[in-house]
Amino acid sequence: MSSPQTETEPSTAAQLIDALLAGGQPVDEGSFSLDTAAAAAKLDAYQYADRSTYLIPIAEAARGLDARRISLTTRDEDLLISIEGVELSEPERFFADPFAQLRGAESDRASRALGRLGVGLHMALGHAAIERVAISHSSTSQMLAAEYRRDAPVRLARQAPEVNGELRVLIDRPWRERFSLRGASREELEHLRRAVEYSRAAFEIDGRVISGRERSWDYVTRGSGAGFRYEGGLETEGERTSVIELWSEDVCVDTLPGPGIAFRAAVHLDAPRRDLSQMRIVRDEVVSAALEAVELGYRKSLARLAEHDAAWSGSRASARPSHWPEQRVDRTLGRPVREPEPEHTPKKSGAGFLFGLAFYGAGIGAGAIGFGALAHGALWGLFALIFLFTHGATGAGVMAKSIRSNKRDALILQGVLFAIGFVVALLLGLAARSPFD
């Protein structure tokens, strides 16, 4: 798939190299002397583009460890992550050095999951608003706990088991953060919500399920290949720029711009490789093959939309869905937009005109009698005038609508007809010989 490269956004590696070179001292032409300690500090600073996304690799790890349920609980300024149904073969080894396999390049799924867990913990521990990270794992025989702080050795402890097969992560913030956070709407939780919104895994925040939402797609296509599978389709609402989501362990971990508009695809990768940021997916052979498959699926979706549009524009025009008007179809297909069809003008009804004329005439007649009665002092003529206003106005309205389809024009014509009827009734009432003398 062809996707334009954004020249204004240099890669993480390029930014790191520029920063290291800027801090070096020139020694000879074409060479630099670098402070290795400063270089290490810059490496840590540039490793993660946004540390507030630390919950995403933790969620990815939980799924990679075949967790049955992942729930997050906010406790004032702190956050507790409970990962249920997890068995660790060597928890002591991981707890002693959870950052030993940050790359997560191991071939087996469990090792990759622990690597992602280490990335999430490392990101959280370096977050400016996080003071301490604690982790524990319970088995049938024991609960192993560890505490991590910046610039401090790890603290390990063994305790009596609480819940079998549960991994817990506590994100501990200083009390002052209570005044700057907004409970469950804090930034890192919003990142997680977006990442698992359409996940089939069970994710909860404070008892509320945040995953499992159904897609709203038309013309869905699916495919698979070595190391990936995908599904995609045309969105039923809106005309947003197309997006390709990259998923790992049922968590959306990255996105790419897609072709055209209104198209969205989810590519599920078995073992994606990461760049220096540990969050962006490297576009290797597997990803390239997946994007080619998505491109083919996109074209199939467009072909099916065009086929249906041709049918809707013909004898089956009444079958056109309301969310696929001609103009939206044209923009989605990337072709010239058709002009909107003129408003349908209903066929004038002769029966309606005659019905209105009858009411109109009855109103004029009643009005003439009423004016005649009032001219001779009979107050009951007021009731006849009420008949003029009700029946005469109604009849004028029915006649106007049967003549003019435009609402504004019909309303003006109704007023004119009623005024004419009123004057005619007045003249007839005053000129006629009254039988009430």
Side-chain angles (χ1 to χ4, degrees), residues 193-258:
R193 284 191 178 95
R194 289 191 292 268
V196 303
E197 181 180 6
Y198 297 102
S199 174
R200 295 180 178 86
F203 286 90
E204 297 179 6
I205 295 180
D206 290 332
R208 299 186 63 179
V209 177
I210 61 171
S211 58
R213 181 180 174 186
E214 293 295 328
R215 299 279 190 177
S216 183
W217 287 346
D218 280 345
Y219 310 108
V220 176
T221 62
R222 295 180 175 86
S224 62
F228 76 90
R229 59 183 174 84
Y230 88 91
E231 58 181 352
L234 299 176
E235 295 181 305
T236 56
E237 295 182 359
E239 298 180 17
R240 295 173 292 186
T241 302
S242 298
V243 174
I244 300 174
E245 302 168 353
L246 301 182
W247 288 64
S248 172
E249 296 293 355
D250 221 9
V251 177
C252 182
V253 297
D254 202 355
T255 59
L256 298 173

Side-chain angles (χ1 to χ4, degrees), residues 10 13 36 41 68 72 109 133 142 188 190 222 238 247 256 272 293-294 342 382 386 405:
T36 55
R68 181 177 63 255
L72 292 83
R109 185 175 174 223
V133 175
Q142 67 172 358
E188 53 264 37
E190 290 303 317
R222 295 180 175 86
W247 288 64
L256 298 173
V294 169
L382 291 173
I386 294 175
S405 58

